[in-house]
Amino acid sequence: MSALLEATGVAVEYHRRGAPALRAVDRADLTVARGEILGLVGESGCGKSTLGRAVVGLLPTAAGEIRFDGRPVVPLGLRRRAPGMRGLQMVFQDPYASLNPRRLVGDQVGDGYLLGGAARAEALRRAGELLERVGLPADAARRYPHEFSGGQRQRIAIARTLAAEPSCIVADEPISALDASAQASVANLLVELVRELDMGMVFISHDLSVVRQIADRTAVMYLGRVVEVGPTRQVWSAPAHPYTQALISAVPRADGAGVLPVELPGDVPDPARPPGGCRFHPRCPVARPECSRDDPPLVALRDGRSAACVLQTAGEAARPLAEPRPVAAE
Amino acid sequence: MGALLEVEDLTVWLATRGGPRKAVDGLSFQVDAGEIFGIAGESGSGKTMTALALLGLLPHAAKTAGRAVFEGRDLLAMPARELRAVRGRKIAMVSQDPSTSLHPMLSIETQLTEHMRHHLGLGKSEARGRAVELLATVRIPDPEQALRAHPAQFSGGMRQRIAIAVALACEPRLLLADEPTTALDVTVQAGILRLLHRLRRERDLAVIVITHDLGVMSAVADRICVMYGGRTAEVGPREDVLTRPRHPYTRGLLDALPHPEGGAATLQPIPGSPPALGAVPEGCPFHPRCGFAVPDCRAVRPEPVLVASGHLAACPPDPLGGAA
């Protein structure tokens, strides 16, 4: 099976006046197949949003290759997007910022159809259908964004994305700005759409527990690199990379047990000056001397996973890391 | 032992174009010294307005009723001048976003020492010495150096630690923390939660943690109050509320969370959305979204009643009672 969206060795740089270019994403690989949800997680500043924008062509790449449906993704310029690229769409985090407050919802959703050559009446009618599809009343088309709650606005933004009849969606923190109960229902909607329309989806989130729930595969990023990727169940039950382990241990559980989450000491280093060797080694609880020297590549492990850690690739320890120790108090 | 803070029948009206609207409606709870008390709820549940009412920081033209007795004196009835002496001195606040709660143009030293000098009458060098200690307490590396720096030079997690140091400067008895970790990454959040937990133990500090995140509640709170539509849905010991909830809303919030072991493909949202300000339904505010509602729920406003030791729930039909 060939991948629907495939990024290989992607690097993205931000150029700043009077400073060296900042490489926010470096040698990142990811693939998404039809009908598959790839969760992309990591701390803020790890480059997950940058990578998400690059794979849809919103940011130019400094190196590497991105292919969608067999064709190279070229960065969005001032001119109209290449027709083959309409199937690759993005959902943004903030539905308060991504919708135009002064245009009717139906017009905004219908834009995709207008660009596809439909007449306005036809575009409006089909926009109404899409709004119903995402769980909104059909008369939503004749209202303005401010009349809707955050969760409803995100549904509108999703409907607008669907108007382009995408086969792949990159959703950047699509539920983070929403209330708890709206989060669950919007996440469910996205899962349903992926299954029903046989789309691929990259679901970017800092909320690890949601990704664990809905993603088929999970990719973990740290400081511009993908450090681990694999089937969600394996990644979570037996993380291969110490950073994945640290992230999982930091998630507090609502089980009433009063267990404090495990702290990962230190801050994410400045991406303009990444540490030499393995980028995680200064914070890694199991780092060895060679970790400050060798930069480990992402290597396939035997269970369908890949990880970038010498502990795994040395062959000596292709096994899950130890369970986190329960810690009573600081 | 008497409670440090005793809130009784707190009601807050906010001024809107359509007239006053109730944001908090008859809320009662108490917090003991050294206790971490959690207030949970979705946006619009009244949790932040509760904190602002205690500090006398409600928006202009808001009105309050009820009592909030702190160390024997009613904060709601206190003249503004006396409240100013309590606020920042005895009761301090940490807000969600450390990039807005710290002044971007002032050095950390200025922000840390200003109110120590004002409230405690400390001299400049004395205040500076205390500031260094405080930064060490919240685990800022190289405190001397940090004093000369400005907020932008720190990461979000470090800024929140500094904001907590500012709040602790006058050795308050009560800390109000409104979504203190919502803007932070989980790894950083873990550090802040451990810090709050340690401060409570070392300083006998009472903390009110306001958050929508039940995982955070579970990690640090001793007791939890779940608010809905400006009222208490349920209040009780952490473990009881999270493992044996007696209000359908709490059950719904827990069911909407991703399952800790993963697996099930879909999440279970609570149908509908929380009521808007001034549009709280009659009777039980949760009844239109409740799967257990009976006709009485539409008409009779439920009061929290004792359902287990120290555990109150405002749901007279008590459909979850049998599950205990």
Side-chain angles (χ1 to χ4, degrees), chain A residues 6-11 27-31 51 55 63-67:
Chain A
E6 186 165 22
T8 322
V10 168
R27 289 196 313 196
D29 302 337
L30 58 86
T31 60
L51 180 58
V55 296
E65 191 189 27
I66 301 163
R67 296 183 81 81

Side-chain angles (χ1 to χ4, degrees), chain B residues 224-254:
Chain B
I224 298 173
C225 171
V226 180
M227 284 185 76
Y228 187 82
R231 300 191 208 161
T232 302
E234 176 160 15
V235 58
R238 170 193 66 227
E239 201 184 340
D240 286 5
V241 171
L242 294 179
T243 62
R244 291 179 291 278
R246 293 290 280 272
H247 197 288
Y249 176 59
T250 314
R251 176 82 267 160
L253 282 180
L254 287 165

Side-chain angles (χ1 to χ4, degrees), chain A residues 57-147:
Chain A
L58 287 180
L59 283 173
T61 54
E65 191 189 27
I66 301 163
R67 296 183 81 81
F68 168 64
D69 223 358
R71 275 177 279 212
V73 173
V74 284
L76 191 66
L78 289 175
R79 299 179 65 102
R80 179 186 293 245
R81 215 155 175 231
M85 291 298 120
R86 281 189 61 209
L88 181 56
Q89 292 290 330
M90 185 143 187
V91 175
F92 297 93
Q93 172 172 359
D94 184 358
Y96 292 83
S98 66
L99 297 172
N100 185 336
R102 306 182 69 157
R103 294 183 66 210
L104 287 172
V105 164
D107 285 335
Q108 299 193 53
V109 173
D111 279 346
Y113 292 122
L114 285 180
L115 288 174
R120 180 158 189 269
E122 167 73 359
L124 267 181
R125 187 186 61 75
R126 293 173 69 181
E129 285 172 11
L130 270 186
L131 289 165
E132 282 186 48
R133 174 65 198 81
V134 298
L136 292 169
D139 74 340
R142 290 189 301 275
R143 289 153 68 185
Y144 287 95
H146 76 263
E147 299 174 58

Side-chain angles (χ1 to χ4, degrees), chain A residues 43-44 179 188 212 261 330, chain B residues 43 185 187 194 198 260 267:
Chain A
E43 287 170 280
S44 49
D179 259 325
N188 284 345
R212 177 174 201 174
E330 189 177 46
Chain B
S43 54
D185 282 311
T187 50
R194 302 180 79 86
R198 176 165 63 85
L267 307 163

Side-chain angles (χ1 to χ4, degrees), chain A residues 166-298:
Chain A
S167 56
C168 187
I169 289 181
V170 175
D172 187 4
E173 301 273 9
I175 62 172
S176 306
L178 311 178
D179 259 325
S181 51
Q183 284 198 345
S185 61
V186 172
N188 284 345
L189 171 66
L190 289 170
V191 174
E192 257 173 60
L193 292 170
V194 166
R195 305 289 181 240
E196 210 173 281
L197 305 173
D198 200 28
M199 294 191 295
M201 177 154 69
V202 181
F203 186 92
I204 302 172
S205 178
H206 71 284
D207 188 338
L208 300 152
S209 41
V210 171
V211 169
R212 177 174 201 174
Q213 194 83 14
I214 69 168
D216 301 302
R217 288 192 307 129
T218 299
V220 181
M221 281 188 81
Y222 184 75
L223 210 60
R225 293 276 173 83
V226 174
V227 296
E228 177 164 359
V229 59
T232 299
R233 194 174 288 269
Q234 271 103 308
V235 169
W236 287 83
S237 60
H241 197 286
Y243 178 64
T244 313
Q245 169 89 55
L247 267 185
I248 293 170
S249 313
V251 179
R253 295 181 175 199
D255 55 6
V259 177
L260 284 167
V262 180
E263 183 177 0
L264 174 63
D267 283 314
V268 179
D270 181 356
R273 287 186 301 269
C278 170
R279 296 183 166 202
F280 186 57
H281 87 264
R283 300 172 80 189
C284 182
V286 292
R288 300 196 208 162
E290 62 265 36
C291 295
S292 56
R293 190 187 64 224
D294 305 330
D295 189 0
L298 193 63

Side-chain angles (χ1 to χ4, degrees), chain B residues 125-178:
Chain B
S125 63
E126 210 178 343
R128 191 186 156 86
R130 289 269 297 264
V132 170
E133 282 170 36
L134 281 167
L135 289 177
T137 302
V138 297
R139 309 254 157 98
I140 297 286
D142 198 356
E144 292 275 355
Q145 176 82 33
L147 282 185
R148 288 191 291 275
H150 285 74
Q153 291 165 263
F154 296 92
S155 65
M158 285 293 153
R159 265 183 255 167
Q160 194 61 303
R161 284 173 188 266
I162 293 167
I164 291 173
V166 171
L168 294 175
C170 296
E171 300 193 338
R173 304 290 299 133
L174 174 65
L175 184 67
L176 301 179
D178 188 2

